[in-house]
Amino acid sequence: MLQVYLVRHGETEWNAARRIQGQSDSPLTAKGLYQARQVAQRVRNEGITHVITSDLGRTRHTAQIIADACGCEVIEEPRLRELHMGVLEERILDGLTEQEETWRKQMVDGSPKGRIPEGETMTELAVRMRAALDSCLDLPAGSKPLLVSHGIALGCLISTILGLPAYAERRLRLRNCSLSRVDHQQSAWLANGWIVETAGDVSHLDLPALDELQR
């Protein structure tokens, strides 16, 4: 059985400001750095062998803190990037027009062909996220990787493992530096392949961690 840990990056300045990030970037806040240190302490004794991260700054910084605690190198994997939010990247959430808010909501409300202009569909996101996860199957026997990615990206990945379409209504909250785990296994009582062991655990955080819309 292969166990893969999944971590969302720590809080960023744009998270706190309700600014849409997508594949744009902003630094971790002091709280985000603290969250990263806390999740690092949570997993430091789990036997993590590989820390694999989206190549965006907020995930790389989170991943480095975790890797230092686990004694690993950081491996960049661009397929773990956040959903590309197109023309809405860098925009303040509360300043969107009615049309722009309609585009944004299509990414979370179950619209099958939802796409922000110049951005990705959820199906496109799901394909690259699943490919990044499946690449862990090629790691040496006995590996225990940890992937650092983003809220929408990880939520989409976990939802599709559960059998939902990539564009399904978004109902899984993954807060900053939440910890999830998926396993690849064969079982008499579960479907073969990837299964979800835990999702969105924040018991290691001693301060409230907010999702991108809870401000």
Side-chain angles (χ1 to χ4, degrees), residues 59-76:
T59 40
R60 285 191 290 107
H61 199 169
T62 303
Q64 189 62 64
I65 292 170
I66 296 170
D68 289 345
C70 296
C72 300
E73 299 293 326
V74 172
I75 302 168
E76 292 189 7

Side-chain angles (χ1 to χ4, degrees), residues 29-89:
T29 62
K31 181 177 179 179
L33 291 168
Y34 182 55
Q35 291 169 334
R37 290 192 292 269
Q38 287 189 302
V39 74
Q41 288 302 305
R42 169 74 181 272
V43 300
R44 66 189 300 267
N45 295 319
E46 294 293 340
I48 301 300
T49 58
H50 300 76
V51 175
I52 304 169
T53 181
S54 156
D55 60 348
L56 299 178
R58 59 192 186 271
T59 40
R60 285 191 290 107
H61 199 169
T62 303
Q64 189 62 64
I65 292 170
I66 296 170
D68 289 345
C70 296
C72 300
E73 299 293 326
V74 172
I75 302 168
E76 292 189 7
E77 172 51 87
R79 290 177 294 187
L80 293 174
R81 283 186 172 197
E82 181 61 291
L83 175 73
H84 197 300
M85 302 288 279
V87 298
L88 298 188
E89 296 207 358

